[in-house]
């Protein structure tokens, strides 16, 4: 009789371990993604105004990068929301990234908001992205295969390059960073 109880106990223990492994496998241990959206003022986006997002990659992600482990697919997406009457088919942006050790990089990218209309006349465009009643949302992969080299706070600043004056029609800009959290205020 004691042998039967021991076998049942081991089975329960094994079942519990398998249930825990399945839960970890489906939910992951990385803590999720950092997402933040900055609504722009009704007056427009000033040419010199940078929108800054700060985040911390999770510690397991930084450790894997430091040991040159496999690429786990860390990525950053950009999001843009614009009005349906936005006057441009694309949005050029300058993105500056700063690491905790003060190393930085600068990219200039062009986000396509519309594509040439295949059925229409020359010079006609059709909006891309998800349509809503008075605006469009577009999400675009900015970088992938990222390896963070240091623990700490990273910053991404985004600036529009369309005009030195004020750009009208962009409602919001945001980022999604895989396996990261919002940077905590230092006060």
């Amino acid at each position: 009789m004691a042998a039967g109880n021991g076998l049942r106990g081991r089975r329960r223990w094994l079942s519990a371990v398998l249930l825990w492994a399945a839960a970890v496998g489906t939910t992951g241990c990385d803590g999720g993604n950092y997402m933040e959206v900055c609504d722009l003022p009704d007056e427009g986006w000033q040419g010199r105004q940078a929108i800054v997002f700060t985040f911390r990659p999770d510690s397991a992600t930084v450790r894997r990068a430091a040991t040159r482990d496999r690429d786990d697919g860390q990525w950053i997406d950009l999001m843009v929301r614009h009005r349906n009457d936005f006057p441009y088919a694309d949005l050029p942006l300058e993105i500056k990234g700063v690491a905790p050790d003060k190393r930085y990089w600068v990219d200039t990218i062009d986000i396509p908001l519309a594509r040439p209309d295949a059925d229409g006349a020359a010079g006609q465009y059709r909006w891309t992205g998800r349509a809503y009643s008075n605006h469009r949302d577009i999400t675009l992969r900015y970088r992938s295969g990222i390896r963070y080299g240091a623990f700490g706070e990273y910053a991404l600043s985004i600036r529009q390059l369309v005009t030195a004056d004020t750009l009208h029609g962009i409602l919001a800009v945001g980022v999604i960073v895989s396996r990261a959290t919002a940077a905590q205020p230092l006060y």
Side-chain angles (χ1 to χ4, degrees):
M1 191 122 149
N5 286 338
L7 184 57
R8 267 187 253 144
R10 278 185 259 161
R11 283 185 182 164
R12 284 186 190 150
W13 181 81
L14 183 58
S15 294
V17 169
L18 290 174
L19 183 61
W20 174 80
V24 169
T26 57
T27 61
C29 294
D30 60 25
N33 300 331
Y34 161 71
M35 179 179 142
E36 186 173 354
V37 177
C38 176
D39 291 326
L40 293 168
D42 293 336
E43 298 81 35
W45 189 359
Q46 299 293 322
R48 294 181 180 255
Q49 178 189 6
I51 300 166
V52 180
F53 301 97
T54 55
F55 63 93
R56 291 179 180 274
D58 74 9
S59 58
T61 300
V62 177
R63 267 192 229 94
R64 280 192 295 269
T67 61
R68 302 288 184 218
D69 244 357
R70 64 189 164 110
D71 177 7
D72 285 334
Q74 288 81 273
W75 45 263
I76 298 173
D77 284 353
L78 299 177
M79 300 177 299
V80 174
R81 174 172 289 162
H82 67 89
R83 289 193 319 238
N84 289 328
D85 63 352
F86 187 66
Y88 303 103
D90 59 352
L91 179 63
L93 298 174
E94 176 187 81
I95 301 172
K96 181 178 181 181
V98 181
D101 60 3
K102 304 303 180 209
R103 292 183 189 191
Y104 69 93
W105 68 93
V106 178
D107 290 324
T108 302
I109 67 166
D110 199 35
I111 296 182
L113 303 177
R115 63 178 182 276
D117 189 357
D119 299 332
Q124 296 295 316
Y125 288 84
R126 189 172 285 207
W127 292 120
T128 59
R130 177 169 260 162
Y132 296 94
S133 62
N134 64 349
H135 69 274
R136 297 255 175 186
D137 285 350
I138 293 172
T139 302
L140 177 75
R141 180 72 29 110
Y142 162 57
R143 284 197 168 192
S144 58
I146 298 171
R147 290 178 174 251
Y148 296 105
F151 291 100
E153 183 176 307
Y154 286 76
L156 281 180
S157 73
I158 302 173
R159 205 168 53 89
Q160 60 93 357
L161 298 176
V162 175
T163 178
D165 296 325
T166 304
L167 178 63
H168 297 279
I170 300 295
L171 302 173
V173 176
V175 298
I176 304 172
V177 183
S178 68
R179 299 186 195 122
T181 59
Q184 300 299 318
L186 298 175
Y187 48 85

